[in-house]
Amino acid sequence: MTSMTGTGRADRTVTMREVAERAGVSVTTVSHVVNDKPGARIGAEARARVQQAVADLGYRPNVLAKNLVQGTSAFIGLVADSIATTPFAGQIIRGAQEEAWRHGHVLLVANTEGDEAAERDALGMMLEHKVRGILYSTWNHRATEIPDALAEADHVLVNCYTAGTATRAVVPDEVGGGRTATDLLLAQGHRRIAFVNTTSPSPAREGRLQGYREAHAAVGGEVDEALILDASPEQEGGYAVAEQLLALGVTGVFCHNDRVAMGLYDALRERGLRVPGDMAVVGFDNQEVIAGHLRPPLSTVALPHYELGVRGVRVLLGAEELAPGEQLRVSCPVVARDSIAAR
């Protein structure tokens, strides 16, 4: 809405009235053209004169005013707890941003670090800007309580969900991921396969265990309950269960996450044992800084963070249909490396 001098410096605001005078039309006609008002009966010649006057004068429409007239904008909001500062979960932002752009929208991101006041302010600002809708996301897949302000805009939960409501959610398919991880070992002929699960209650704990059971059932095998172990979900947890795994005589291990697998690697190496020769190992999450740099590189199943962001935008914009209260479960892809071997 500013005109520029020869030096490129903003000189002054160009008004809609000036555009109208240059084009020889009414201010209303200019408003209809620049706001692309549906159903406005404007001749081709008058429209062309307005467009030329806009170009000549360097007029820019008042976007906020346009939003108020239309009731919405080309912005999509994304409010998250800490995914922007979490390297692998940050892919949610990238996926949402690129998909929003493909649909002619721009993503507004607020990373609140779990601060309720910051979250409240961010939502308020997005609502004031008449965003097309809001994605609400958490860095780890979990049940969550959503703020009341979300009800004031179309919204979709990403990587989280809230039970017993009409809120739509896009989440990882934890069951499918657990089945895929176990299938990697079963396909190599392993049958005595342990699952090192986490001690922390979560959709990942329940879903990956269910997938482990389903994979065995699909090949007609029974699960030995003694092979399902719990460990703290970090390197120390994997290190601590190594002795128990060896005593159980397992040939393959599905670890709840890549950090647990890293700890198991350390414990096996200390005992002079090799991966995958003495024990095949599969992780989960595909944390590149871990999985791709272990020796041998770790076969794992990736959390589909980028795809979660993409599908969240698609559901929000109506490109994918999701019923009220429904969860869209996104497949977790295999990242095959060198930590499994045939038996």
Side-chain angles (χ1 to χ4, degrees):
M1 206 162 72
T2 56
S3 63
M4 308 298 290
T5 67
T7 63
R9 177 178 57 82
D11 185 29
R12 65 179 182 82
T13 299
V14 176
T15 67
M16 194 176 288
R17 182 171 297 281
E18 289 175 291
V19 174
E21 290 173 355
R22 171 69 71 95
V25 298
S26 68
V27 172
T28 299
T29 297
V30 173
S31 175
H32 288 170
V33 172
V34 299
N35 290 310
D36 197 22
K37 184 175 180 180
R41 302 181 65 179
I42 301 170
E45 183 183 350
R47 185 180 296 275
R49 291 203 309 273
V50 171
Q51 292 168 340
Q52 187 61 53
V54 166
D56 291 345
L57 296 174
Y59 174 79
R60 285 183 177 273
N62 185 322
V63 175
L64 291 179
K66 182 178 179 180
N67 293 347
L68 291 172
V69 170
Q70 296 183 339
T72 187
S73 73
F75 294 126
I76 292 173
L78 189 153
V79 177
D81 52 5
S82 59
I83 63 175
T85 54
T86 306
F88 65 107
Q91 289 295 311
I92 291 174
I93 293 176
R94 180 167 164 260
Q97 183 170 274
E98 292 182 0
E99 186 66 15
W101 188 251
R102 281 190 283 269
H103 290 271
H105 288 70
V106 175
L107 193 70
L108 300 178
V109 179
N111 196 65
T112 66
E113 296 296 338
D115 184 289
E116 290 186 10
E119 179 178 271
R120 186 168 54 251
D121 290 346
L123 286 169
M125 190 174 299
M126 289 175 181
L127 292 170
E128 286 175 7
H129 281 74
K130 303 289 183 181
V131 292
R132 169 63 181 77
I134 297 173
L135 303 179
Y136 186 86
S137 186
T138 56
W139 78 269
N140 64 326
H141 179 196
R142 59 181 172 85
T144 188
E145 295 291 330
I146 60 174
D148 293 340
L150 272 184
E152 298 180 40
D154 194 13
H155 59 278
V156 174
L157 304 187
V158 176
N159 206 36
C160 57
Y161 64 95
T162 180
T165 73
T167 304
R168 298 165 297 170
V170 179
V171 297
D173 182 359
E174 302 283 7
V175 175
R179 190 166 54 242
T180 297
T182 310
D183 282 342
L184 283 173
L185 295 163
L186 289 169
Q188 295 297 324
H190 295 277
R191 289 299 178 267
R192 196 154 178 78
I193 301 169
F195 176 40
V196 181
N197 206 355
T198 180
T199 54
S200 308
S202 67
R205 172 182 165 82
E206 302 304 323
R208 294 173 196 180
L209 175 58
Q210 182 180 336
Y212 169 82
R213 294 186 185 281
E214 289 183 4
H216 281 85
V219 297
E222 291 188 8
V223 171
D224 183 347
E225 298 296 324
L227 302 186
I228 301 171
L229 311 177
D230 284 346
S232 58
E234 59 268 333
Q235 185 175 4
E236 291 75 9
Y239 185 90
V241 297
E243 199 66 47
Q244 191 173 356
L245 291 169
L246 291 169
L248 288 167
V250 301
T251 64
V253 181
F254 164 27
C255 295
H256 175 81
N257 64 33
D258 296 343
R259 289 172 292 157
V260 170
M262 179 168 59
L264 179 57
Y265 265 53
D266 291 342
L268 294 174
R269 186 180 303 110
E270 283 185 4
R271 290 163 173 78
L273 301 175
R274 296 172 298 110
V275 175
D278 296 299
M279 188 178 291
V281 181
V282 173
F284 208 106
D285 292 351
N286 191 35
Q287 293 189 34
E288 284 285 347
V289 71
I290 297 173
H293 296 282
L294 289 174
R295 291 294 176 265
L298 178 66
S299 294
T300 187
V301 175
L303 282 167
H305 288 114
Y306 180 89
E307 191 67 15
L308 291 175
V310 169
R311 304 291 285 277
V313 168
R314 290 181 60 81
V315 170
L316 188 67
L317 295 180
E320 288 192 55
E321 293 292 331
L322 205 59
E326 186 179 356
Q327 291 185 20
L328 172 63
R329 292 178 173 85
V330 180
S331 297
C332 300
V334 169
V335 183
R337 297 190 178 96
D338 301 324
S339 63
I340 56 176
R343 296 296 294 174

